[in-house]
Amino acid sequence: MARNKKAAIGFIFITLLIDVIGLGIIIPVVPKLLQQLLGSTDISKASQYGGWLTFAYASMQFLFSPILGNLSDKYGRRPVLLFSLFGFGIDYLFLSFAPSIVWLFVGRIIAGITGASFTTASAYIADISTPENRAQNFGMIGAAFGLGFIIGPLLGGLLGEYGARIPFLVSAGLALANWLYGYFVLPESLDAEHRRPFEWRRANPLGSIKQLKKYPAVGGLIVSLLIEYREFSTELIPGDGRKGITRYGRIG
């Protein structure tokens, strides 16, 4: 049993690491891909579409993450986590072969709907942790985020030299390989006796927000995370309309 837990924790770490690498690896080439599809060298226009793509992804996550979270409470963490990984892989394939901006939005919407890997992985960690190692295991999530955002943009910049779509193909391969690995090795963490029925009261975003009233201390953490993610989102495709420059280098 201890060996299974260690293997599961290792898989969750790799899952989060690959997901964050997959996100970071595409950051340097998104503006270039948008310019190609728009047929324009105007970085400010590409930045606008990049913002809408982020909005589409975030909106779907806001709407569907509570649903997938409740589904994981009813059916277990494993199927939802594998579903999320598969969705990420399909999203990156859409981005790799997208012939138009519309297909980019389709891919981002799919990723937003299925993008519960982080929350489900956190629930998985909570299921298999003991009071003695809970902080250690959750600290591993932060380590995966940090390491992923170091490796991802570096690989994206290197792979982007061979074409704007190459990093998306590599991200798709990583996500789908991890999905296949998890299909064979990841055990279920939520026992049948600990599962609960699916309830729309908990599965809608407003219902989830109302649940915060029961935990006042969590509200402050949510505000802090919102501020942090807002700062991060402004870094994704920052542009200079006059010079065609982003933080990641000259585009066009």
Side-chain angles (χ1 to χ4, degrees):
M1 184 66 179
R3 182 178 298 178
N4 288 339
K5 284 188 175 182
K6 287 184 178 180
I9 290 173
F11 172 80
I12 294 299
F13 178 82
I14 294 172
T15 294
L16 295 176
L17 181 63
I18 289 179
D19 282 354
V20 178
I21 289 176
L23 177 61
I25 204 174
I26 68 175
I27 291 175
V29 296
V30 166
K32 186 175 181 180
L33 178 61
L34 287 170
Q35 285 182 315
Q36 290 179 359
L37 293 177
L38 292 170
S40 171
T41 58
D42 185 356
I43 189 64
S44 62
K45 186 177 181 181
S47 296
Q48 289 178 355
Y49 276 93
W52 283 111
L53 285 170
T54 303
F55 174 78
Y57 174 80
S59 298
M60 292 300 102
Q61 278 220 320
F62 176 74
L63 293 173
F64 285 91
S65 287
I67 294 176
L68 292 181
N70 275 266
L71 288 174
S72 75
D73 288 338
K74 179 178 175 60
Y75 297 107
R77 317 298 187 200
R78 184 178 185 274
V80 174
L81 190 56
L82 293 178
F83 174 71
S84 298
L85 289 172
F86 187 76
F88 269 120
I90 297 300
D91 166 51
Y92 290 132
L93 288 177
F94 267 96
L95 297 178
S96 302
F97 299 106
S100 67
I101 290 291
V102 173
W103 285 102
L104 288 185
F105 278 95
V106 172
R108 287 284 79 188
I109 288 171
I110 291 174
I113 292 173
T114 63
S117 59
F118 299 118
T119 53
T120 309
S122 297
Y124 194 106
I125 290 293
D127 291 339
I128 64 176
S129 296
T130 63
E132 292 76 19
N133 63 16
R134 182 172 288 111
Q136 173 187 337
N137 290 342
F138 275 98
M140 179 193 65
I141 295 178
F145 268 83
L147 186 60
F149 274 117
I150 292 172
I151 298 174
L154 174 62
L155 285 178
L158 295 174
L159 294 172
E161 295 294 325
Y162 301 97
R165 297 176 186 263
I166 298 300
F168 297 97
L169 286 171
V170 173
S171 296
L174 288 173
L176 293 176
N178 199 34
W179 165 76
L180 189 63
Y181 174 68
Y183 181 82
F184 288 105
V185 305
L186 184 67
E188 178 56 62
S189 66
L190 188 64
D191 297 331
E193 59 268 22
H194 292 132
R195 299 181 188 183
R196 64 183 182 186
F198 181 89
E199 295 182 8
W200 282 109
R201 178 172 58 86
R202 294 192 182 96
N204 70 84
L206 296 180
S208 299
I209 293 174
K210 289 180 180 179
Q211 294 291 320
L212 291 176
K213 293 181 180 180
K214 300 179 181 178
Y215 311 99
V218 177
L221 293 175
I222 296 296
V223 173
S224 176
L225 287 173
L226 286 173
I227 295 173
E228 179 181 348
Y229 285 134
R230 180 186 179 278
E231 292 298 320
F232 170 73
S233 67
T234 62
E235 300 283 335
L236 290 180
I237 312 180
D240 185 318
R242 293 175 289 105
K243 298 180 181 178
I245 297 175
T246 73
R247 282 186 209 276
Y248 309 103
R250 180 175 294 275
I251 302 296

